[in-house]
Amino acid sequence: MNHPQSPVALADQAAEAVRAINHTTRTPGADWQYPSDAYSLIGTLAHLSRMLPQAITQALGPVTDAHTAGRLTVDGGKAPDPAASSAVQTARVAIGRAQRLAEALDQVHSALSPLGYDASDEDEFADCPQCEAEDGDGEVYPHCCGCGADGSGERPDCTCA
């Protein structure tokens, strides 16, 4: 059994969180309908993927420690050196791919950066004096000032958070 804060339990929680993201992003909702929502999610996924190389490297710690101590065994009585070497080499490949994933997600994040949502004809934003005062052009930033707001202040000129 895994303890609640064991590395495996934490990885299970991360996997469950990604599963929940996959489920909740299937359809629009109050917290998932604007380009800024996609921008925020992709930015967080990029951050997550930048941390994967360290997690992968450290995940091999018990294997390399057992190998160094002469305690690594392999099913079928095979020699541990080739098996340990294979694990390290394939982990390096995974680390490289995680780094490339992070870079690709950073590019997606950048591409999403200038996108907004034109709600000039939507009544729900019509009485938002903060957005109208800041924009004056009818373009609304839903993450700002109570108009679908989470108060994140992602917009550089947002003063309402």
Side-chain angles (χ1 to χ4, degrees):
M1 181 174 160
N2 297 323
H3 295 4
Q5 293 299 305
S6 74
V8 174
L10 293 169
D12 284 342
Q13 290 171 21
E16 180 57 27
V18 171
R19 187 207 63 78
I21 290 167
N22 292 343
H23 179 74
T24 59
T25 56
R26 289 177 14 179
T27 57
D31 294 331
W32 183 250
Q33 57 184 329
Y34 302 110
S36 60
D37 298 329
Y39 174 83
S40 296
L41 178 58
I42 293 296
T44 301
L45 291 174
H47 177 68
L48 171 69
S49 63
R50 281 191 297 278
M51 294 186 289
L52 287 174
Q54 180 180 353
I56 294 165
T57 299
Q58 291 172 197
L60 290 180
V63 173
T64 57
D65 291 349
H67 186 249
T68 301
R71 297 207 168 269
L72 187 65
T73 64
V74 181
D75 290 347
K78 296 179 181 176
D81 289 344
S85 178
S86 176
V88 169
Q89 292 302 318
T90 55
R92 286 185 184 146
V93 170
I95 288 167
R97 289 179 180 168
Q99 290 168 332
R100 286 192 297 284
L101 173 62
E103 292 165 2
L105 287 171
D106 284 338
Q107 291 174 352
V108 174
H109 192 238
S110 291
L112 291 170
S113 178
L115 303 180
Y117 182 83
D118 181 2
S120 58
D121 61 345
E122 293 186 20
D123 289 338
E124 77 178 284
F125 300 114
D127 62 348
C128 182
Q130 187 69 33
C131 278
E132 191 54 40
E134 288 185 17
D135 290 330
D137 63 0
E139 186 174 359
V140 175
Y141 294 85
H143 61 272
C144 183
C145 22
C147 51
D150 62 9
S152 67
E154 288 176 346
R155 203 172 128 214
D157 61 341
C158 181
T159 59
C160 56

